[in-house]
Amino acid sequence: MELKTPAIRSPALGQILVLVAGLVIALPVAVVLMTGLTEGGGAAWTHIRDTLLTSYLTGTVSMLALTAMLCLLMAVPAAWLVTMFRFPGRGMFEWLLVLPLAAPGYVLAYAWGDLAGVGGPLQSALRDATGWSARDYWFPDISSLPGLSFVLACTLYPYVYLTARAAFISQSVCTMEAARSLGASASRTFWSVALPAARPAIAAGLALAMMEAAADYGAAEFLGVPTLTYGIVRAWKSFGEPAAAARLAFVLLALILTFVIVERQARGRAGIQQSSVRWRTISRVSLKGPAAMGAAALCTGLFTLAFALPVGRLVWRSLEAGTRVASVSDALLNSLILAGAGAAFAFILALIIALSIRGRGALSTFARLAASSGYAIPGAVLALGALAIISILPFAMTGAVALAALAWVYAVRFTAAGTEPMAAALARAPASIGLAAQSLGASPLRRTLEVDLPVAMSGAAAAALVLFVEALKELPATLMLRPFNWDTLSVRAHAYASDERLAAAALPALLITVAGLAPVILLSWQMSRARPGSNA
Amino acid sequence: MSKIVLAIASLAILAACGQSEPPAQPAEGTDAAATASEAAGQVLNVYSARHYDSDKVLYAKFEDETGIKVNVRESGAPELLETMKAEGAESPADVIIASDAGALYRFQLEGFTQAVKSDVLEAAIPAQLREAEGHWFGLAKRARVIVYDPQLLPAEEVDTYADLAEERLKGELCVRSSTNIYNLSLLSEMIGRNGSEAAEAWATGVASNFARPPEGGDTAQIEAVAAGQCAAAIVNHYYWLRLATGTTEERLTAARTAVSFPDQDTTGTHINITGAAVSSTSRSPELAVRFIEFLTTPEGQALLTSETKEFPIVAGAVNPEGLDLLPAFKQSDYPLTDLGSRQAEAQAIFDRAGWN
């Protein structure tokens, strides 16, 4: 026997659990793909292929390219500044800049659409100040592809910011001090040493951000930008052709797979670079005068655009409208229950998969891949799959069945987000612990239960919180599957916003954001603690 | 030549000062109560494309008066239709509520409505506003009007729909996407009245007058007029009314614009409805009819229109606050049943006309 030490190996139970977890996740995806392959797609598909597919494809690809660029521009300089330098507000910005992650794309789209629209406060102020009419000046159009990219980058750049910051902290201290001691300037150190070393981590963060951007439905719909995901939902709801929607999903999945591969490869390479185990506190360079002001201004600007301004507008709108929390208390309760159920389901699946990773078996790879593809697939598509499956089964899509279906879709969609923190916890634990257990004669099952499980649970709080909030934010699948009297905050916000009643949408949108803050702050805090090098 | 075209600036601000108190939250039935009444079989499942707090009050009132428990699923009309397709004959829906006759037509076309007979409904609702066999019933009315900037355009230049296709309005029009059901229904009526060619010529003319590519909803078009981006826009009347009775900021927006009810000297302004249908899958159609009848009572009508600012359709019903900002107007008598059957053609015409 070689040193392959599966955590869940021969015990049939473990294998079966992983298989079941994988299948549970893969099933809706597979059903959708099968529908796309086998069913004709109907007249709607011919229409979509001939007239819309090109614009969906170019729309999605250019939106992703622009979003990626904006994410990098927002995230990398800010991460570099807060990690390497000392300037007024630095410690605060370190975690403030993660907060935009709390607001889902569609919430920022509502807020920014309101702020930057022709009747919104920004343009009104401009007109009032200058006496111009709307046709006397040019103003960036928020209801456009660049507008969508901007909004998505605002909420997704923290993925890149987090990975970039972690990379700068963990990988560069020694090398960068070496570079500096050899007389390299700060900018040269950044471009020639730090950035190349951090590139895999940045790519991994960016791939995650791109998956989220590609899966966005609410923001694209609200801003009227034709993307593949928008097209999928439209094929379903306007043309009434699930098969055509499934074919579009196929195209999207191909695109997404590219990001999954990029992320995998980047992660693989990132692992190798973890060479030094000696940690030292980073000695931050103090910025003086204009440089310090510039750094603070850049961080302030980023935080204002991505969070303070849009969220502030939502606060203003709900105060102005006088919406009482009581008016959405039922939706709040529904959200908590549904997200709780979905998170619990996803958590169990994520735990099973995380525990199986050490084994590197085919089943584990399958389950992990299934989770990744589920994560990348828009909720609307998964809902289609769930609907198709349930239509075969002998019960009606009501009450408990619909709730179960929704929890299932949440689990399919988000398990990957829970697997990662637990997998990370396992990866941090030295392999020797497991080997020691094995050499002491512990059975693989016992080793899994008594060694790996407790280790994985150390990442559990973060995983559970992430899962919970992701489920809370989910929109399209909730729209499609929720049973009677089960409106959630996201559903309510969407309904009001589509009714052109932004004032009413503001409060539920705000509550989603507030709920989202908790795990974001926890994650940010954990990250800064997990890296001894960051103690400043 | 009496033209009912309004410049309502000051009026709007005055009338909107007293904003209505949002209706109180209905008591939520507990799960246990729901189960109990379900056991008794007195449950009504409503699929509604509306999202108003006043609707919750409406349901609660109906529950109080009848002891029938009301379950609600709210979503966009297209999503509700697809949900029903997925559920098939097992769909629990009893009542379908949707805005626009064109939307209700889609449910009918897919076989999800059933013909019901009710003397109460036939007496209360004008024949134009309901499906002849009783597949759906109009409950509240909306008009598709022209909102314009009185500083830029004299009223008589925007007092017909045909005006909007005139070359003098080049670069002056704002309107939402043609995939929107309101525009589809408007063009459907034109096809029905004037024929496809005339309708296409109109759509092409309007599209060549756009100040910007279609974007946003009706409210966004009004804001664009108020901001000076365009001189006129096609919108449903209640979007303007909601601004005119809204926050200070919103009232200022409405005050910069005026409302024109088109075609007053000829066929009348295009109207549409919010309506209800009895689901073909309903196991208790008599409860469903009872519920729809409740919506035509003065109380039901008031609650249906109080937040939406639509026109009640039953004679004697109390108007929602702010409705008196708009004049009495001549409405088109075009049968709404015919709107749905021309939808596909209307969409094709819009596509050819370059009206996205």
Side-chain angles (χ1 to χ4, degrees), chain A residues 464-520:
Chain A
L465 211 52
V466 168
L467 290 172
F468 180 77
V469 170
E470 289 288 355
L472 195 75
K473 291 198 248 178
E474 207 286 333
L475 175 64
T478 316
L479 270 180
M480 289 163 69
L481 294 178
R482 95 212 111 98
F484 281 121
N485 311 331
W486 277 92
D487 275 6
T488 63
L489 290 173
S490 61
V491 166
R492 209 55 79 71
H494 172 265
Y496 290 144
S498 341
D499 265 9
E500 306 175 28
R501 289 189 289 150
L502 232 44
L507 184 64
L510 209 55
L511 288 175
I512 295 170
T513 309
V514 169
L517 281 175
V520 166

Side-chain angles (χ1 to χ4, degrees), chain A residues 118 127 133-135 141 143 234 236-237 240 313 317 320 398 482 484-485 487 492 495-496 499-501, chain B residues 45 47 51-53 56 71-75 78-79 82 92 172 176 179 215 217-219 227-228 239:
Chain A
V118 69
R127 283 193 299 271
S133 132
R135 53 186 94 188
D141 184 4
S143 296
R234 186 160 177 253
W236 172 74
K237 78 171 193 185
R313 178 65 179 170
R317 276 288 218 168
E320 190 188 36
T398 52
R482 95 212 111 98
F484 281 121
N485 311 331
D487 275 6
R492 209 55 79 71
Y496 290 144
D499 265 9
E500 306 175 28
R501 289 189 289 150
Chain B
N45 294 327
Y47 279 27
H51 327 282
Y52 293 94
D53 286 348
K56 293 183 204 155
N71 285 320
V72 186
R73 188 201 293 271
E74 286 183 359
S75 214
E79 287 91 343
E82 287 310 312
E172 298 290 354
R176 74 197 295 175
T179 55
E215 65 170 53
D218 281 3
T219 310
Y239 289 107

Side-chain angles (χ1 to χ4, degrees), chain A residues 28 52 118 140 211 247 253 259 278 358 370 437 445 453 463 527:
Chain A
L52 299 168
V118 69
M211 284 201 263
R247 290 205 165 186
L253 196 64
F259 298 124
R278 281 179 306 153
R358 208 188 278 271
L445 178 64
L453 186 61
M527 278 206 61

Side-chain angles (χ1 to χ4, degrees), chain A residues 31-41 242-243 246-247 250:
Chain A
V31 166
V32 171
L33 293 185
M34 287 284 284
T35 318
L37 275 182
T38 54
E39 287 187 28
R247 290 205 165 186
F250 218 99

Side-chain angles (χ1 to χ4, degrees), chain A residues 197-522:
Chain A
R199 203 183 295 144
I202 292 173
L206 196 58
L208 272 180
M210 291 302 98
M211 284 201 263
E212 289 283 343
D216 164 78
Y217 164 70
E221 186 211 27
F222 188 75
L223 299 176
V225 181
T227 62
L228 274 168
T229 303
Y230 172 73
I232 289 166
V233 178
R234 186 160 177 253
W236 172 74
K237 78 171 193 185
S238 296
F239 295 106
E241 290 281 1
R247 290 205 165 186
L248 282 175
F250 218 99
V251 179
L252 182 65
L253 196 64
L255 207 64
I256 293 301
L257 215 60
T258 325
F259 298 124
V260 175
I261 291 166
V262 167
E263 197 254 4
R264 270 294 126 78
Q265 292 207 326
R267 201 181 283 269
R269 271 180 288 154
I272 298 168
Q273 298 195 342
Q274 207 91 354
S275 53
S276 168
V277 286
R278 281 179 306 153
W279 294 100
R280 264 198 296 146
T281 304
I282 294 177
S283 48
R284 294 199 174 85
V285 177
S286 281
L287 293 178
K288 298 263 169 344
M293 296 306 286
L298 189 127
C299 292
T300 310
L302 180 57
F303 180 70
T304 307
L305 287 181
F307 195 80
L309 200 55
V311 173
R313 178 65 179 170
L314 291 178
V315 172
W316 166 259
R317 276 288 218 168
S318 34
L319 287 179
E320 190 188 36
T323 328
R324 288 160 308 165
V325 178
S327 71
V328 290
S329 59
D330 56 330
L332 179 64
L333 187 66
N334 291 341
S335 275
L336 296 178
I337 296 173
L338 269 177
F345 196 171
F347 183 82
I348 294 168
L349 295 179
L351 185 63
I352 293 172
I353 294 172
L355 286 177
S356 76
I357 287 171
R358 208 188 278 271
R360 292 168 203 259
L363 277 179
S364 168
T365 311
F366 156 72
R368 223 179 160 188
L369 207 65
S372 290
S373 36
Y375 185 65
I377 295 183
V381 177
L382 297 176
L384 282 181
L387 279 174
I389 293 166
I390 285 166
S391 71
I392 306 170
L393 300 177
F395 20 73
M397 188 57 201
T398 52
V401 179
L403 283 181
L406 194 51
W408 182 18
V409 168
Y410 287 159
V412 175
R413 176 90 173 76
F414 301 121
T415 294
T419 313
E420 298 313 321
M422 286 192 272
L426 280 171
R428 271 201 298 271
S432 51
I433 295 182
L435 292 178
Q438 205 173 22
S439 70
L440 289 170
S443 72
L445 178 64
R446 199 167 153 213
R447 187 194 146 181
T448 301
L449 290 180
E450 293 182 8
V451 178
D452 290 337
L453 186 61
V455 172
M457 290 311 270
S458 69
L465 211 52
V466 168
L467 290 172
F468 180 77
V469 170
E470 289 288 355
L472 195 75
K473 291 198 248 178
E474 207 286 333
L475 175 64
T478 316
L479 270 180
M480 289 163 69
L481 294 178
R482 95 212 111 98
F484 281 121
N485 311 331
W486 277 92
D487 275 6
T488 63
L489 290 173
S490 61
V491 166
R492 209 55 79 71
H494 172 265
Y496 290 144
S498 341
D499 265 9
E500 306 175 28
R501 289 189 289 150
L502 232 44
L507 184 64
L510 209 55
L511 288 175
I512 295 170
T513 309
V514 169
L517 281 175
V520 166
I521 290 171
L522 179 85

